[in-house]
Amino acid sequence: MLTQKQRTLTLLRLIGDLLFPPICTSCGIGIGKPAGLCSSCWSELRFIERPFCDILCLPFSYDPGEGVVSAKAIAHPPPFEKLRSVVLYDDRARRLVSALKYRDRLDLVPLMAAWMVRAGRDIIAESDVVIPVPLHKRHLWQRQFNQSAEIARVIARNSGLNFDPGTLDRVKPTKKQVGLGRNQRRENVRGAFRVAPERYDRVMAKTVLLIDDVFTTGSTVASATKALKRAGAKSVNVLTFARVAAFEM
């Protein structure tokens, strides 16, 4: 038997679906349930599946064997241990990220977080605490929420890990990374993150799962990783929804 509250909520959902029928987040056509994709847009997402570089999650065009890393990871080892991402950052993925970040589509968070838990299950199993890449206070005030923190909150809850959004601070109001070259991006986020000494115990000798929405050149998460390691973190793994990548030959 449904309680009165459950019956009321069910009725409100039905009324809401009638007044505002669910549409595909990417293309806008009608679908069966909210915060989802139509079958066409779903099929166009480029999910990252093995084989890929065990460090940078760069897809291989052939299977070189388990545990093989890419030439990029060998030539330029990142400060973090491993990266995992759900999809390649193409037009469909960009629409999803932009809808969350700039159109306040917080209803997408559970869907994106669930995909990220699946993609990052190996590094989640190694982690002690979930920390999002923070926004600077000025940008947080303008946007009113941090999309990475909202995703990280759900990932932590679904994985049974501690969620700590306050330990890593963004102390430098960086410019947008879009349109900047690799060296400009690296300089833009140099010294941008800090862990206050009184919070070192939150990460000391722990494996941190660092959450962001998109991995491009890696400058942002590299800077954040260095700040966490300076505070005593044993290791840092990175989990993002999307990553920019070409196939590694």
Side-chain angles (χ1 to χ4, degrees):
M1 293 289 292
L2 294 177
T3 66
Q4 182 59 45
K5 181 179 180 180
Q6 289 171 325
R7 286 195 294 269
T8 301
L9 290 174
T10 300
L11 179 60
L12 289 174
R13 280 195 293 268
L14 290 173
I15 293 173
D17 287 345
L18 289 173
L19 294 175
F20 306 102
I23 61 174
C24 173
T25 303
S26 181
C27 69
I29 70 169
I31 56 175
K33 59 182 180 179
L37 299 174
C38 68
S39 58
S40 176
C41 290
W42 170 274
S43 66
E44 291 179 11
L45 280 174
R46 299 169 66 192
F47 287 91
I48 300 174
E49 303 287 353
R50 291 191 182 276
F52 55 72
C53 169
D54 198 49
I55 294 176
L56 290 177
C57 202
L58 276 167
F60 289 113
S61 57
Y62 64 96
D63 190 354
E66 187 175 352
V68 174
V69 300
S70 63
K72 289 184 180 180
I74 295 172
H76 304 287
F80 53 83
E81 273 58 48
K82 293 179 182 179
L83 166 73
R84 295 292 181 264
S85 299
V86 178
V87 295
L88 294 179
Y89 192 59
D90 58 10
D91 186 57
R92 291 296 181 191
R94 180 189 58 78
R95 291 185 190 183
L96 287 174
V97 172
S98 295
L100 170 59
K101 187 183 295 188
Y102 302 118
R103 300 207 306 272
D104 300 340
R105 288 294 306 274
L106 289 169
D107 55 314
L108 291 172
V109 168
L111 176 68
M112 296 169 75
W115 285 346
M116 290 169 70
V117 168
R118 175 183 175 275
R121 54 185 176 269
D122 61 332
I123 59 175
I124 288 173
E126 302 171 355
S127 302
D128 301 304
V129 60
V130 178
I131 293 180
V133 171
L135 293 176
H136 186 266
K137 291 179 180 178
R138 181 193 305 171
H139 295 153
L140 182 60
W141 181 83
Q142 292 171 342
R143 194 178 295 169
Q144 298 299 306
F145 74 96
N146 176 3
Q147 73 281 352
S148 297
E150 297 305 316
I151 293 172
R153 188 191 317 276
V154 177
I155 289 173
R157 184 175 66 235
N158 292 352
S159 305
L161 296 175
N162 292 327
F163 172 57
D164 190 350
T167 289
L168 183 65
D169 289 327
R170 196 168 196 144
V171 295
K172 177 181 173 183
T174 55
K175 297 181 291 186
K176 289 184 177 180
Q177 295 279 69
V178 177
L180 299 180
R182 179 180 293 272
N183 291 335
Q184 291 174 311
R185 286 173 179 264
R186 188 180 298 115
E187 190 60 35
N188 186 39
V189 295
R190 188 188 302 275
F193 301 97
R194 175 177 179 266
V195 176
E198 62 269 21
R199 292 180 177 269
Y200 280 9
D201 63 305
R202 303 283 190 93
V203 297
M204 185 70 68
K206 293 181 179 179
T207 297
V208 175
L209 183 66
L210 185 65
I211 304 296
D212 205 2
D213 53 357
V214 179
F215 180 96
T216 49
T217 63
S219 299
T220 298
V221 294
S223 181
T225 294
K226 290 173 183 177
L228 290 164
K229 287 191 171 182
R230 283 195 298 269
K234 179 176 68 175
S235 60
V236 177
N237 289 313
V238 179
L239 179 57
T240 72
F241 174 70
R243 73 146 297 151
V244 175
F247 279 82
E248 181 76 13
M249 299 301 292

